[in-house]
Every structure is written in structure tokens, then in C-alpha cells.
Amino acid sequence: MCGIVGYVGSNKNSVHVLIDGLKKLEYRGYDSAGIAYLENNKLNIIKSVGELKKLESKVNFGVSSNIGLGHTRWATHGIADEVNSHPHKVGKFTIVHNGIVENYNELRSKLKSEGYGFKSETDTEVVAALLDSIYKTNNDVLKSIRKMTDILDGSYALGIMCEDDNDTLYVAKNKSPLIIGVGEGDNYIASDVPAILDKTKKYIALEDGCYAKITSSEINLYKDGIKKDFNVEEFKYDASDISKKGYEHFMLKEMHEQPEVFRRTTNPYLESGIDSLIAKMPDFTKYGKIRIVACGSATHAGLVGKQMIEKFANAEVQVDTASEFRYCKQFLKEDELVIVVSQSGETADTLEALNIAKKNGNDTLGIINEKGSTIAREAKMVLYTEAGKEIAVATTKAYSAQVALLSLIALNLSYKKDLVDKKEIKEILEDANKLPGYIESLLNKEEDYKKIAEDIKDYNDIFFIGRGIDYALAMEGSLKLKEISYTHSEAYAAGELKHGTISLIDEGTPVVAIVTDDNIAPKTISNIKEVKSRGANVIYITNKKDENEDGFYDKKIVVPKVNYLLQPLLTVIPLQMVAYELAKLKGCSIDKPKNLAKSVTVE
């Protein structure tokens, strides 16, 4: 969510590094921004509300400074204004912070009794005051940080400067992502890779509970007061991977990357046919039940996966929303596999669900895009989606990669249980080879999607309907429309409309109807006719080329018909593209929708 960048080095250009790093973190979502830097041993803090260019207009890029911190804030405690924005300075400490400190009110009261006053509503200012209070008793920054982390409850990634040590950055991490970038005579901190990718590819992934002292020439890492060894790793992609490469928006570029993402994600498992799939995936037959836990679009991917695994492999699957899972009684069975799905591998609620499953003794599997992320490290088993870096807040290629891996799990389990014959396996492998071309052809129907967007642009309420796997896809289509076009939409199981919601259908009301499952197509078409007879403007998405009758839809998009396990990867493309074209037509901020953040690292 919020973004952190920090720099300490031999060069005197910290302001350039900070602003440039914050620009590269804009995609994460924010409502205010600020930087702190030293110039001639004097601390300067500059903040601004709104877009980063407002902060940039206040900054003097000609200053000479070798150390600084930068932050983009997504408001949690207090409104978005300059007082609440980071960095915060209390006493000798200046801090930027991602995460939520849960006991900050209790700490605030205690610190007030010590004479501290607070200007902001934030938990971050409380953290700065706490650190300053502890430091007064021992005059040792590292010991103070360790004691502070023992006191704080909640999540935090902290970048810290102390006025008694003007050539050093300090960091502390717990349940919120933070990395140290390793350069030559220059070192960095960041909450996400893009902030520093054009500066260095070498980094240290911090574990929860770690804190560090960083100078231009040295990095020392600690945990529980003990100095720790660390591995310096290297990013496998470069700055060109996070450029638009000629596309108008990152989202459009990422949608067009889906054919290649499908290849990269599935080829390792399909290169030698079913044999490589069985060899490279875990044995799922030993589990009596599968539980999928995720948030947002990853939940919708899980719902698609549930339909595929249950229908194709005859295995029980339950999908839970992570933010609810952690507060409910789970009734996890001993032989139940818990699959957590997350693009970033840092989603706070999903990570907590993983911890609950581990404490209960269940095996865990992460479906993750970011290698080295917390979930990737903590899950017993990991399957990686090879989506590359996804910059647009609204996920497209990462979602598709998640669905692709879930389809392979269904195929793996079905084969192991002897539920699929050689003929169908051959069909699936042939369809998998054709799928990238089919995706590309659907992406290129831009004029069709533009016409649909034009038809629905003046409506404030849009409905998506489907049954079974098509209902799961309807939920994702509805979310995409809400996320980037700010249009209210709802997804319903098609058979539920007549139990209340059909009262909202008026003349011209847009209804996106999805029909790809032959077994239940007649039932869904009957529901489509119900809304059409009440004046709905029906956009019909199907893999059925010829209908025995027409007249129950206004616009029709035909997707190629492939095996059930692969069909969702095609059906979702028109849903993504219609949302994109509508958002573009309405002039919305497509890559960085209002109020949203890419990686939700707070609960």
C-alpha cells in the first residue's frame, strides 16, 4: 500500500533518488507524500497532499545531501493532509512507516504522561516518540530499536534516521514488506523492488523481527539483539520490465502479456505432457479437502479453481475470504490442504490465514508471483505464477496465471485419481498450445469492446450474471469494472435474480451474461430472457457460436471453445477489456484508481 524509499551513499543526490523512487512506487496507491533529507547536517522535511508532482514542485533538486527517506501514504490513521503524512519527526528521530501499530493509543497515552505532544492522528508519530523516549535512557540506537520492537504490536516496516548519527539509516520490519538494496558506495531501502531497480539489482530480503544499521559502505543485520548473517540476492528482471513499452497504460500492456504469461507459467508443467505435470507438482491425493484462502481477485481465481477441482477431480474445495477467515472458527480438518493465493506474497490478511493454518498443523501451499516474499518463505510448498512485475493496481495477468495454476492442480489430481482418459488429456494439451493465440485474438477485438463501453457509459448500475464457473468469472468482471471505471456493478448467480434483484432491472439496464458451460447453458439462457423481457441491454459472452434462437441479447462476444479447465482463461479477456475501455472512455485513472493500492499490507 504505502511506499518507502531510503538512501545513504557517497553521492550527494539523495533528493533525486528519493523522488525518483517514489515515482516508481506510485502504482501502489497513495494520497500524500513526503521526504526527509540532511543538508549540511540540517534536517529538511517536505510534504504534500495529492499527486507526487505537487511534492516535486516544492523540492529543490540542487541541494547536496547524502542521506534521506521518502514515503507515499495511503491513509489509515487520520485524514490525508500534510500533518498526517510522513516522514514524522519526534525528538531526535525521523521515521517513515508502512503498516498498522495496534497498541498505539495505549502508547500515546503513556507518552503524553512523559510530556510528549502529538501533532498528527497517526500511529507513526507515536512510534517516533516511543523510540525517542527509549533512546533517552540508553543513548544507543540499535538497543532502542530492539526494545521498541518488543513493545510494538502489529505490522510495521520502518525507515529511521537519528540526528546523532547523520550518516546512517536504520530499519525494522514485522509483517510488512521491506528490502535493503545493496550498491557500491550507495545503499537503499524500499518497500518494493521498482523503487530501486534502476539503481541496483542486489538486495537483502528482511525477515520479520529483523532490524538493521545501514551506512554507505556497510550493512549490519540483527534479530533479538544478535547479529545475523544474510544473503545478498539478485532481481531477475530489470527496469525495462516496469515500463509501458509503448502501451497507453500499464493495464493494457499487462493484458497483452497474458499469452506469454500463460506459456511461462504452464510450460514447465506441460513440456513433457502429463508426466512432467505429475513430476513437478505436489501429490494432492493425500488431502481429503482443499481450502483456498485469498483476497480480492485472488479470491475469484480461487472460486474458479473450486469449480474446476470439484468438477474435474471430484475433490471437496472450500474458498474463504482471508479477512473473514482469521476471525471465524475454521473447522480445519487434519487432512486438509490450505492453499493461499496472493500476487504480492505480502497480503496481510492472507499471510495471517497462512499462519493460522500452520499453527493448526495443516499443510500449506502458496500460489505466489513474488519470489522471496513472506508467503513464499512461510508456506510449506509454493507454486509460482510467472507473471513478471504487475504495475497496474487492477490485476489481469497475475489473476490469469493464478487460474492457470489452479487448472493444472485440477488436472494433476484428476489424473492421479484416474478420472481423466488419454483422449481428454491429449485434447487439453492441444488446447493449451492454442490458448496463447486465442487470447491474442480476443485482445485484438478492441472495436467490439469500445462499442460496448459506449453503450453502457451512461449507466450507474451494471449487473453480471452466470452459473457455476461463469458466476465466478462474473464476480471478477464486476470487480474489474468497479475498480477502474468507478461504475457500480454487481455479480449474481443467474438463478438468484428472480429472488429479489430483478426488481432493479429497468429499460436499458446493462446486464453482462456469461454462458460457457454446456450442461447449464439452457438454464442461464432462461435467466437471460427474464432480464431481457424487462428491458435489459444484454451483453452476451459465450463460447457457443450458433444458437437455436436469438433475440435474447443485444451484443454478443464469442470466445473460442476449449476444454473446461482452460475456458476461464479466455472468458475473462472480454471482461477485462470492457472494463478497460469503459474506464478510458470515462477518463478514469486506469493504472492508479482512486482509493486503491496494489499490495494491501495492512488489515
Side-chain angles (χ1 to χ4, degrees):
M1 297 182 81
C2 308
I4 286 175
V5 62
Y7 169 78
V8 56
S10 54
N11 294 321
K12 302 294 184 180
N13 62 349
S14 74
V15 172
H16 287 273
V17 174
L18 298 177
I19 295 296
D20 186 55
L22 293 180
K23 284 181 178 179
K24 291 180 170 64
L25 293 176
E26 283 189 283
Y27 73 96
R28 294 173 64 92
Y30 66 99
D31 46 49
S32 59
I35 62 171
Y37 62 91
L38 285 175
E39 181 187 18
N40 298 324
N41 291 324
K42 177 186 176 184
L43 181 72
N44 297 275
I45 296 178
I46 305 172
K47 305 180 184 182
S48 182
V49 177
E51 295 184 4
L52 196 58
K53 61 185 179 183
K54 293 181 180 178
L55 174 66
E56 195 173 0
S57 68
K58 295 182 175 182
V59 171
N60 177 7
F61 287 93
V63 302
S64 177
S65 169
N66 72 322
I67 187 170
L69 293 168
H71 190 267
T72 52
R73 178 177 185 252
W74 190 84
T76 54
H77 295 84
I79 63 171
D81 62 12
E82 288 190 15
V83 175
N84 288 324
S85 62
H86 302 205
H88 288 280
K89 183 180 187 299
V90 179
K92 295 192 173 186
F93 289 91
T94 303
I95 288 182
V96 293
H97 167 220
N98 289 353
I100 291 179
V101 174
E102 295 174 357
N103 60 336
Y104 85 105
N105 268 328
E106 172 191 334
L107 293 171
R108 184 193 287 261
S109 297
K110 181 177 180 297
L111 289 162
K112 279 184 175 180
S113 70
E114 295 179 17
Y116 284 93
F118 294 95
K119 301 174 183 176
S120 76
E121 302 169 77
T122 67
D123 53 346
T124 306
E125 189 181 13
V126 173
V127 175
L130 174 64
L131 184 56
D132 187 69
S133 173
I134 297 168
Y135 182 69
K136 286 177 179 177
T137 66
N138 61 32
N139 209 40
D140 186 304
V141 178
L142 285 173
K143 288 181 180 178
S144 299
I145 290 173
R146 185 194 175 190
K147 186 171 182 180
M148 173 194 70
T149 60
D150 288 338
I151 294 170
L152 295 178
D153 290 334
S155 61
Y156 50 82
L158 296 170
I160 303 165
M161 294 167 60
C162 176
E163 67 179 40
D164 288 344
D165 195 355
N166 283 346
D167 296 312
T168 306
L169 288 181
Y170 296 88
V171 297
K173 178 198 181 298
N174 188 55
K175 298 181 181 179
S176 190
L178 193 66
I179 58 174
I180 299 172
V182 182
E184 296 182 7
D186 305 274
N187 289 314
Y188 310 83
I189 65 170
S191 54
D192 203 1
V193 177
I196 59 173
L197 192 55
D198 61 342
K199 308 292 189 303
T200 180
K201 287 189 175 183
K202 295 180 179 180
Y203 72 101
I204 300 164
L206 295 176
E207 299 174 4
D208 285 347
C210 283
Y211 53 101
K213 179 178 181 179
I214 308 163
T215 68
S216 62
S217 59
E218 190 175 12
I219 298 169
N220 291 298
L221 191 63
Y222 303 87
K223 190 171 185 178
D224 299 325
I226 301 170
K227 193 172 181 180
K228 274 179 62 71
D229 293 331
F230 54 82
N231 295 321
V232 177
E233 302 176 62
E234 188 164 338
F235 300 121
K236 292 186 178 179
Y237 42 84
D238 56 37
S240 67
D241 294 321
I242 55 173
S243 68
K244 292 179 184 176
K245 296 184 178 178
Y247 287 94
E248 188 173 354
H249 297 97
F250 279 110
M251 183 179 177
L252 184 61
K253 166 182 170 275
E254 288 158 9
M255 287 190 291
H256 277 273
E257 289 174 340
Q258 286 175 111
E260 181 57 30
V261 167
F262 175 79
R263 289 190 189 96
R264 287 202 308 261
T265 299
T266 61
N267 278 0
Y269 303 101
L270 300 178
E271 59 186 355
S272 301
I274 197 74
D275 291 338
S276 53
L277 177 65
I278 300 306
K280 294 183 178 181
M281 274 202 169
D283 179 10
F284 297 101
T285 59
K286 62 183 178 179
Y287 302 109
K289 180 179 177 181
I290 293 173
R291 182 91 61 123
I292 300 174
V293 189
C295 295
S297 288
T299 304
H300 299 156
L303 290 166
V304 171
K306 168 185 168 69
Q307 294 285 336
M308 293 189 294
I309 296 168
E310 288 188 339
K311 180 172 181 176
F312 210 74
N314 196 32
E316 182 184 0
V317 180
Q318 180 174 330
V319 179
D320 287 336
T321 301
S323 58
E324 291 293 310
F325 176 89
R326 62 183 302 191
Y327 298 113
C328 297
K329 193 168 180 64
Q330 290 85 25
F331 298 103
L332 287 164
K333 300 175 182 177
E334 288 185 8
D335 63 345
E336 190 168 345
L337 171 68
V338 177
I339 300 177
V340 293
V341 187
S342 168
Q343 185 278 138
S344 68
E346 303 289 353
T347 310
D349 290 313
T350 308
L351 180 57
E352 188 58 31
L354 172 67
N355 291 332
I356 290 169
K358 288 174 65 177
K359 288 176 184 176
N360 195 62
N362 293 88
D363 282 356
T364 57
L365 169 70
I367 295 180
I368 306 299
N369 193 51
E370 292 291 339
K371 296 176 177 63
S373 63
T374 304
I375 293 178
R377 296 194 305 269
E378 295 294 327
K380 181 177 181 180
M381 301 170 283
V382 180
L383 296 177
Y384 287 109
T385 55
E386 298 294 341
K389 198 70 185 173
E390 191 174 59
I391 300 299
V393 167
T395 181
T396 51
K397 62 177 182 173
Y399 164 88
S400 293
Q402 290 163 358
V403 171
L405 277 180
L406 288 163
S407 73
L408 294 184
I409 289 173
L411 177 58
N412 175 295
L413 188 51
S414 179
Y415 180 82
K416 282 284 195 84
K417 295 171 76 171
D418 200 25
L419 297 174
V420 58
D421 58 31
K422 291 182 180 179
K423 181 181 177 182
E424 188 166 11
I425 291 171
K426 182 181 178 182
E427 173 193 292
I428 292 168
L429 296 177
E430 288 175 350
D431 283 347
N433 286 329
K434 297 174 185 175
L435 205 76
Y438 288 154
I439 295 172
E440 195 63 53
S441 68
L442 286 169
L443 288 166
N444 289 333
K445 293 184 176 183
E446 291 180 356
E447 292 306 314
D448 292 341
Y449 307 130
K450 287 177 182 177
K451 288 176 183 176
I452 292 171
E454 187 65 44
D455 284 347
I456 66 177
K457 67 179 174 61
D458 295 324
Y459 290 87
N460 294 321
D461 301 289
I462 297 176
F463 297 93
F464 289 72
I465 62 173
R467 286 176 180 258
I469 203 164
D470 294 330
Y471 173 41
L473 288 160
M475 285 190 273
E476 176 60 11
S478 175
L479 178 60
K480 281 291 155 287
L481 203 74
K482 284 185 278 232
E483 282 181 305
I484 63 169
S485 76
Y486 314 147
T487 302
H488 174 252
S489 66
E490 297 292 342
Y492 285 92
E496 286 298 297
L497 282 175
K498 53 183 166 286
H499 296 287
T501 307
I502 202 166
S503 65
L504 299 175
I505 302 298
D506 292 319
E507 189 67 33
T509 301
V511 175
V512 180
I514 306 168
V515 180
T516 64
D517 187 340
D518 288 339
N519 293 326
I520 52 177
K523 295 292 185 183
T524 310
I525 290 172
S526 175
N527 300 135
I528 297 171
K529 290 177 180 178
E530 290 168 357
V531 296
K532 183 59 182 169
S533 67
R534 287 159 177 80
N537 173 17
V538 176
I539 297 107
Y540 181 44
I541 299 175
T542 184
N543 58 1
K544 302 163 73 67
K545 289 185 179 179
D546 301 311
E547 306 289 348
N548 294 327
E549 55 181 318
D550 54 19
F552 62 87
Y553 55 85
D554 296 274
K555 290 281 194 307
K556 182 179 181 180
I557 297 174
V558 178
V559 299
K561 188 177 182 64
V562 293
N563 186 273
Y564 180 85
L565 288 182
L566 300 174
Q567 191 68 60
L569 294 159
L570 298 179
T571 311
V572 76
I573 301 299
L575 301 173
Q576 295 173 347
M577 287 296 293
V578 167
Y580 173 80
E581 292 296 346
L582 180 60
K584 184 177 174 183
L585 192 61
K586 294 175 72 172
C588 298
S589 178
I590 291 175
D591 290 331
K592 296 175 285 184
K594 65 181 181 182
N595 301 333
L596 296 182
K598 181 63 179 172
S599 178
V600 183
T601 56
V602 296
E603 301 162 17

